[in-house]
Amino acid sequence: MIRRMLEAHGFQVERAASGEAALDLLNARLPDMIIADFHLPGMSGGELSRQLRLNSRTRSIPLLMLTEAAEVETEREGLESGADAYISKAADPDFLILRIRALLRERPAMQEEPGDEMPHFRRLRFLVLDDDPAGLADHSATLLREGYLVEAASDVEGALAALGNADLTVDCVLIGLPPRRFDSVDACRVLNARREEERAQQAERSTAPFLMIGIERDGAVSKEKLARAFDAGLDEFIPTLNDHLLLRVRLRAIVRRKMMQDEMAQADADRRDRAITVERARMTEALTQANAELGAANDKLIETQAKLVQAAKMASLGELVAGIAHEINNPLAFILAHQATVQRVLGQIGSQDVTTEKARGYIAKAQDRATAMGAGLKRIRDLVLNLRQFSRLDEGGFQSVDIFEAIDTVLTLLRPKLGDRIHVGRHYDAPPTLWCSPALLNQVVMNIVSNAADAIEGEGRIDITVTLDGPDYVILIEDSGPGVPEAVEARIFEPFFTTKPIGSGTGLGLAIAYSVVKAHQGAITIGRSPFGGASFKIAVPLMDETGQPLPQASAMGAAGLTEAPRQPIAGA
C-alpha cells in the first residue's frame, strides 16, 4: 500500500521483505531514503537502523520508522537506534508524504564515486563453535534473527576449516563454554594462532581480525579457567543469560566494536592506497622528467654528433683544398707560363714570312689550340679559386660577406649537377653584404640547392631570392621538384633522416643547415613553392661587427638598397 502511494507521487521505490534483504539491496545502489517497519521478520527495524548508522556509507541516509500508533516504547527504542523519524502506519497519507519530503530536503548532498564497485554495506558473519547441538542451534537462530550470516562447527577442526575457506570472511567466533568434547583454552589458543597467521599474511587488509567471544553455559566456567582463556586469546565473555533480549543487546555492543574496527582498518587501507597513489604519481613525474632529460641529452648528443660530422667534413675539405693548392697550383702556374710562351712564339712566327701555304695552316692551327688550352687552364684556375672562396679556410669566424658572390660561387661549384636541365633564377633585392660566417652560410645554400637539384627529375627550375624582412636577412630557395610530403616535414631537419634512396644520402645535409642557421640566431622553415616543389626560407638577423642586432635594419636596407637586375641563368 505504501509503495503504491509513493509511486503515485512520483517516487521510484524498491521493496525488500526483510532487514537482511534490505542490506543486500544497499550493496547495489544507495537510495535517497529508507522507510522501514519496526516489526520485521528476523532482524528488527531497530537493529537495521543500528547497522545502517554503524556504516560510514549509509549512516547519512534518512530513515523513517513505521509502527503501530500505541507503541510508545517501540518508538523510543527506534529513535535511540538511529531512526530520523517515527510515524504511525495509520497516519494520514498526505501527512506521510509531507514528512517524507521534509526528510529528503534535510538530507545532505551525496555523490557516489564513479566506478566504485565495493559493497556499500557488509553483513557480519559469525562462526558458532559449540559441541552441544542444542546450544549450537539456539545461538545460530539468535544470530540469524539479528541479521547476521552464520556458519556452524561442532569441533575445532571444523572451525579451522571454516576459517580457511577463502570464500568466507568470519568476523566473530562465538564459543560455547565450557565445551564437553574439547578443551576451551586449547581451542582459544589454536584459533588465536590462526588469527595471528592471517594478520601476518594480510598486513594491509581492510578488515580487522575476527573476535573470539565466549558465551557461558550453565554457569560452569571457573574464574581460573576463564583467565586462562583470555590469556589464550579470548576477546569477550558473556555469562549465562536466560534473557535472550539481553544476550542480543550484548552481542550488538560487541558487533558494534567490530564494525568500528573494520571501519578504522578500511580507513587505514584507504590512506595507504592514497599514499601509494601519491608515490606512484611522484615516481611517474620523476620518470617523465628523467625521460625528458634523457631525450634532451640524446638530442644534444645527436646535435653534437652532427657538428662533429660537419667539422670533419670541413676539415676534409680543408685538406682537399690544401692538396689542390699544393698539387695543382704549382704545375698549373708552370703550364700557364709555358702556354703563354708557346702562344707568344707562335704569334712571332706567324708575323714573319712563311714560304708555304701549308706551313701557315699549321701555325694558325697551333695558335688556335694554344688559345683553347689557355681557356681550359684558366677554368681550372677559376675552379681552384672558387673552392678556396667556398671554404674560406684562411678566413675564420664571423665577417662581412658578399652574399651575392657567395651564392654565385655555390652555383659555379654545382654547375656539373645543374647542367643545362635546370633553370636557375637569382633575384637580389637586398644589400649585398651580411655579417656572418662565410663557410657555414655557403654550406647551407649549397646543401639546399644540391638537394633541390637531386629532387628534380628532368628539366626544372630553382629560384634564389635575397630580400630583407624587418630585422632579418632572408634567402629564399624555391624549386619545381616534387616537394616534401607533409608526413615527413616535422623530421626533415633530423640528423640521419633522408628521403633519398638507401645509399644516396647521409641525412646530414639539412641537419647541418639547421644547426648553422641556429648558430646565426636565425631560423630555417620549409613550405610549398609557387612552382609546386619545396620552399626553404633562411632568415638570419642583421648584426653589426659586435654581434648586436642592428636597430634600424629595415631603414638601412631601404636606404641602401640598389636592386640588382634579375638574372635567370640556364645551367648556372
Side-chain angles (χ1 to χ4, degrees), residues 43-365:
M43 179 191 302
S44 69
E47 181 57 25
L48 172 64
S49 176
R50 276 186 287 272
Q51 297 212 34
L52 291 174
R53 296 307 178 231
L54 284 172
N55 190 283
S56 60
R57 293 185 176 89
T58 58
R59 64 174 51 131
S60 63
I61 300 177
L63 174 61
L64 177 62
M65 197 76 75
L66 300 178
T67 188
E68 299 298 333
E71 294 181 312
V72 179
E73 183 62 26
T74 301
E75 179 178 352
R76 181 189 64 78
E77 182 182 346
L79 293 174
E80 288 178 350
S81 68
D84 294 283
Y86 231 89
I87 193 168
S88 171
K89 296 177 184 178
D92 182 73
D94 292 336
F95 177 75
L96 179 61
I97 294 297
L98 290 174
R99 195 72 184 91
I100 290 173
R101 294 190 185 279
L103 287 172
L104 288 173
R105 277 199 308 271
E106 298 170 2
R107 181 189 184 220
M110 291 181 61
Q111 184 68 36
E112 290 191 73
E113 293 293 332
D116 184 8
E117 300 178 356
M118 291 184 60
H120 298 293
F121 195 89
R122 186 176 69 86
R123 292 169 63 184
L124 270 65
R125 187 184 303 274
F126 272 80
L127 171 60
V128 181
L129 173 58
D130 199 333
D131 55 6
D132 178 21
L136 187 64
D138 185 34
H139 298 326
S140 299
T142 300
L143 294 170
L144 287 171
R145 282 194 298 271
E146 291 295 298
Y148 306 122
L149 302 174
V150 179
E151 302 294 327
S154 59
D155 52 32
V156 177
E157 289 73 16
L160 290 175
L163 292 172
N165 190 338
D167 297 330
L168 303 178
T169 300
V170 175
D171 298 285
C172 298
V173 178
L174 191 64
I175 306 174
L177 301 178
R180 294 181 173 85
R181 295 195 297 271
F182 58 85
D183 184 87
S184 58
V185 175
D186 288 341
C188 291
R189 187 175 293 109
V190 171
L191 295 178
N192 185 57
R194 180 54 183 266
R195 179 168 58 182
E196 293 302 321
E197 290 177 5
E198 292 184 358
R199 182 183 285 115
Q201 294 172 359
Q202 302 180 18
E204 298 183 357
R205 57 188 298 167
S206 59
T207 58
F210 61 84
L211 296 177
M212 286 193 293
I213 306 167
I215 183 166
E216 187 179 32
R217 183 171 55 213
D218 303 329
V221 180
S222 66
K223 291 183 180 180
E224 185 271 335
K225 193 164 189 177
L226 185 60
R228 290 171 53 211
F230 271 107
D231 189 55
L234 192 69
D235 298 295
E236 291 289 348
F237 173 72
I238 301 176
T240 301
L241 296 174
N242 296 322
D243 187 351
H244 277 270
L245 180 58
L246 184 56
L247 172 62
R248 290 160 60 186
V249 170
R250 291 199 174 186
L251 284 174
R252 289 170 191 166
I254 296 171
V255 166
R256 197 155 41 241
R257 186 178 76 185
K258 176 62 171 65
M259 296 182 72
M260 290 296 184
Q261 292 174 352
D262 285 353
E263 188 170 337
M264 291 177 62
Q266 182 63 51
D268 289 340
D270 292 342
R271 281 194 294 271
R272 287 192 298 269
D273 291 342
R274 285 194 296 271
I276 292 173
T277 301
V278 171
E279 180 63 18
R280 285 178 178 172
R282 188 192 65 77
M283 293 178 64
T284 301
E285 183 179 356
L287 182 61
T288 301
Q289 182 178 356
N291 286 339
E293 293 174 354
L294 183 61
N298 187 52
D299 293 341
K300 186 67 175 178
L301 180 62
I302 293 176
E303 181 182 355
T304 303
Q305 188 174 12
K307 289 180 179 179
L308 289 175
V309 172
Q310 177 190 5
K313 290 177 67 175
M314 295 303 295
S316 298
L317 182 59
E319 294 177 2
L320 174 63
V321 173
I324 290 175
H326 180 72
E327 299 295 337
I328 299 180
N329 278 351
N330 289 336
L332 181 62
F334 174 79
I335 296 173
L336 282 171
H338 285 279
Q339 183 269 339
T341 301
V342 170
Q343 193 168 12
R344 186 176 64 254
V345 170
L346 288 173
Q348 292 174 353
I349 295 175
S351 63
Q352 299 177 3
D353 294 335
V354 180
T355 57
T356 65
E357 186 67 27
K358 188 175 182 180
R360 284 196 295 272
Y362 287 150
I363 293 173
K365 186 175 181 180

Side-chain angles (χ1 to χ4, degrees), residues 465-483:
T465 304
V466 181
T467 61
L468 288 180
D469 184 6
D472 294 333
Y473 197 94
V474 177
I475 302 175
L476 185 65
I477 303 174
E478 301 169 313
D479 64 68
S480 60

Side-chain angles (χ1 to χ4, degrees), residues 421-457:
R421 67 184 183 91
I422 298 178
H423 176 87
V424 180
R426 294 175 292 177
H427 313 287
Y428 300 151
D429 298 330
T433 58
L434 177 67
W435 185 260
C436 65
S437 173
L440 296 182
L441 189 61
N442 285 342
Q443 196 168 2
V444 173
V445 176
M446 172 170 275
N447 285 341
I448 296 177
V449 174
S450 177
N451 284 345
D454 290 337
I456 297 174
E457 296 181 0

